[in-house]
Amino acid sequence: MKRAILVSALMISCSTFAAPNHSDQWAGFYAGGNLGYGSGHNQDVGNSDSWGDSIGGVVGGIQVGHNWQFDNNIVLGVAANLNLSDIGDDFKNSEHNQYDPYDGSADIKQNGSIDLLMGYAFDRFLPYVKAGVTIAKEDFTMGCHTGNTSITNGCNHQFNSSASNISAGLNVGAGFQYRVTDNLSAGLEYTYVDLGTSSVYMGDPNYPDYGARNFNTAYSTTTLNVNYLF
């Protein structure tokens, strides 16, 4: 009888060590990198002659964060990231109006965000949603060049002008992480960013009273994220 009790206790003890508790495997700090693609739209909303243009390009950077996992498998977290990007495009208004000699560009070269996340842990699989604030540096150029059109309207003086602005807006997104090893996870994330309207001044010698420009920018990114969990 004593031997049976001893064997049973040993079996229970072994099974306890063989089946570790994963209820908090997503809790703690993590850091990693991301790489993906972003695309969106930019338009000078204060200019009735602006057609608006598509923007796009590669985006990549680093992220850090911390998660808290509860007994019901709900995971809450906070994350911050800092990215470099090539999201932007050059435009020529002559593509829309054969007599419009204006051209320019809109680019997002750096951006960062602080996000709150909420997910549900299915053991090693963690889907989540997020919302936060994005801050981005936007660079704009504008000019008119008579070579853009065969017949030119409103370009008595050719010029180039540029301006930059630090813009802030809201973002929302969703994604998932899969725990590949005890300390490494990988996944995909989609983020939509609305930077609102950036007000900048770009002087135009042809219309000196209309140098104020209001560019509205929104874009989305899809990235592959890899994290090291501490």
Side-chain angles (χ1 to χ4, degrees):
M1 183 67 177
K2 291 181 178 180
R3 182 178 297 177
I5 294 174
L6 181 61
V7 171
S8 298
L10 182 61
M11 292 177 64
I12 293 172
S13 177
C14 290
S15 64
T16 300
F17 284 108
N21 183 4
H22 292 297
S23 63
D24 63 348
Q25 65 174 314
W26 290 103
F29 289 97
Y30 63 87
N34 66 82
L35 182 66
Y37 186 82
S39 62
H41 192 74
N42 176 272
Q43 185 171 10
D44 183 0
V45 294
N47 180 6
S48 60
D49 293 327
S50 173
W51 295 87
D53 292 276
S54 298
I55 55 175
V58 176
V59 60
I62 58 175
Q63 68 270 349
V64 297
H66 187 281
N67 289 329
W68 294 266
Q69 183 169 345
F70 301 93
D71 292 340
N72 58 2
N73 291 329
I74 295 293
V75 177
L76 299 180
V78 58
N81 69 65
L82 181 63
N83 295 324
L84 299 177
S85 73
D86 191 34
I87 299 175
D89 198 18
D90 299 328
F91 66 86
K92 287 186 177 182
N93 286 353
S94 58
E95 296 176 355
H96 305 284
N97 181 344
Q98 62 178 326
Y99 304 122
D100 190 336
Y102 278 76
D103 55 29
S105 64
D107 296 284
I108 301 171
K109 296 299 185 182
Q110 301 95 24
N111 67 82
S113 71
I114 298 177
D115 304 315
L116 298 177
L117 297 82
M118 183 175 69
Y120 187 88
F122 296 91
D123 194 20
R124 289 182 172 270
F125 182 66
L126 176 64
Y128 61 88
V129 294
K130 69 169 192 172
V133 176
T134 293
I135 298 175
K137 181 177 182 290
E138 297 188 89
D139 298 317
F140 306 100
T141 66
M142 185 184 69
C144 75
H145 301 91
T146 56
N148 288 342
T149 59
S150 57
I151 301 176
T152 301
N153 290 335
C155 190
N156 297 322
H157 304 283
Q158 299 188 84
F159 75 98
N160 290 296
S161 185
S162 63
S164 298
N165 189 69
I166 303 299
S167 306
L170 300 178
N171 73 66
V172 294
F176 71 86
Q177 284 284 308
Y178 180 78
R179 195 154 182 156
V180 181
T181 69
D182 286 344
N183 295 104
L184 188 68
S185 70
L188 289 174
E189 183 176 275
Y190 170 83
T191 306
Y192 174 80
V193 180
D194 186 350
L195 292 177
T197 301
S198 300
S199 298
V200 297
Y201 182 88
M202 291 192 290
D204 181 348
N206 300 289
Y207 302 96
D209 294 332
Y210 297 96
R213 302 287 173 173
N214 298 290
F215 292 98
N216 187 272
T217 306
Y219 65 95
S220 61
T221 62
T222 301
T223 57
L224 171 64
N225 296 358
V226 178
N227 293 317
Y228 183 86
L229 297 89
F230 297 94

